[in-house]
């Protein structure tokens, strides 16, 4: 098995959408009966707007011609600070490997590829959210938990 990471483009939007919806169903435990029409429309629009201008870089992990995983990094700018003078950040998302291929280093290879894409753009601040099952992989790659981070849980 030789896993190759391949960049996804707008030409792959239908495949990207299939994978994005699979990830959302698993991560959020959505039932097959859940109406995801609006969510799909919003995600498609996000890809259509963000992929051409490099505000999102998506990729597939491939075993030969078969796609066995995916990932993405959202590129955005926050206010510059001493720890990030340019203000440019990367937010890893949608890191996913099919069940059969898990625990073979594919997620790690996907993350490494995406982090390298950020580095090539001069981005040194990369964030992510993780599941408990992937936490060890990220810690082993040098990511650290951020104890001071908070999130508003009510709608604004």
């Amino acid at each position: 098995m030789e896993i190759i990471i391949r960049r996804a483009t707008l030409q792959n939007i239908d495949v990207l959408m299939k994978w994005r919806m699979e990830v959302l169903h698993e991560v959020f435990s959505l039932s097959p009966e859940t109406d995801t029409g609006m969510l799909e429309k919003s995600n498609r629009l996000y890809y259509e707007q963000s992929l051409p201008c490099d505000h999102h870089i998506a990729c597939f992990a491939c075993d030969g011609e078969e796609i066995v995983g995916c990932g993405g990094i959202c590129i955005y700018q926050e206010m510059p600070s001493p720890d990030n003078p340019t203000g440019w950040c990367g937010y890893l998302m949608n890191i996913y490997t099919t069940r059969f291929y898990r625990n073979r280093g594919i997620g790690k290879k996907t993350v490494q590829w995406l982090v390298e894409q950020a580095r090539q753009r001069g981005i040194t601040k990369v964030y992510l959210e993780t599941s408990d099952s992937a936490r060890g992989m990220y810690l082993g790659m040098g990511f650290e938990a951020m104890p001071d981070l908070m999130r508003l849980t009510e709608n604004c």
Side-chain angles (χ1 to χ4, degrees):
M1 173 182 78
E2 182 183 354
I3 299 298
I4 302 296
I5 306 299
R6 181 171 53 89
R7 185 171 181 166
T9 67
L10 266 183
Q11 294 169 323
N12 311 115
I13 195 163
D14 291 334
V15 178
L16 275 169
M17 287 302 303
K18 174 194 164 294
W19 281 88
R20 175 65 175 158
M21 297 314 296
E22 183 175 330
V23 170
L24 292 176
H25 273 86
E26 184 167 325
V27 170
F28 290 94
S29 301
L30 301 178
S31 75
E33 294 80 35
T34 302
D35 180 6
T36 58
M38 184 55 105
L39 188 58
E40 288 182 49
K41 186 176 180 179
S42 297
N43 275 270
R44 182 175 289 272
L45 181 61
Y46 170 84
Y47 280 137
E48 289 171 348
Q49 293 174 342
S50 300
L51 288 173
C53 62
D54 260 5
H55 286 170
H56 186 90
I57 299 166
C59 66
F60 297 120
C62 302
D63 182 9
E65 294 299 313
E66 182 183 3
I67 299 172
V68 299
C70 63
I73 188 166
C74 177
I75 308 294
Y76 67 97
Q77 192 170 28
E78 63 184 19
M79 290 191 72
S81 61
D83 70 335
N84 188 12
T86 68
W88 286 102
C89 301
Y91 183 79
L92 288 169
M93 56 190 351
N94 224 39
I95 309 301
Y96 181 76
T97 305
T98 57
R99 288 190 191 282
F100 179 77
Y101 280 87
R102 289 183 186 163
N103 300 311
R104 300 183 192 193
I106 296 168
K108 181 177 181 180
K109 190 169 187 172
T110 302
V111 170
Q112 288 170 330
W113 188 88
L114 290 165
V115 168
E116 180 58 29
Q117 297 303 303
R119 284 188 180 129
Q120 288 175 12
R121 289 158 178 79
I123 297 168
T124 58
K125 195 171 191 178
V126 177
Y127 297 96
L128 61 85
E129 291 178 60
T130 186
S131 63
D132 288 337
S133 62
R135 189 173 312 282
M137 176 187 77
Y138 292 119
L139 289 171
M141 295 179 73
F143 286 87
E144 296 177 349
M146 296 174 58
D148 297 333
L149 191 63
M150 299 179 77
R151 182 180 90 176
L152 180 64
T153 58
E154 295 179 16
N155 292 332
C156 294

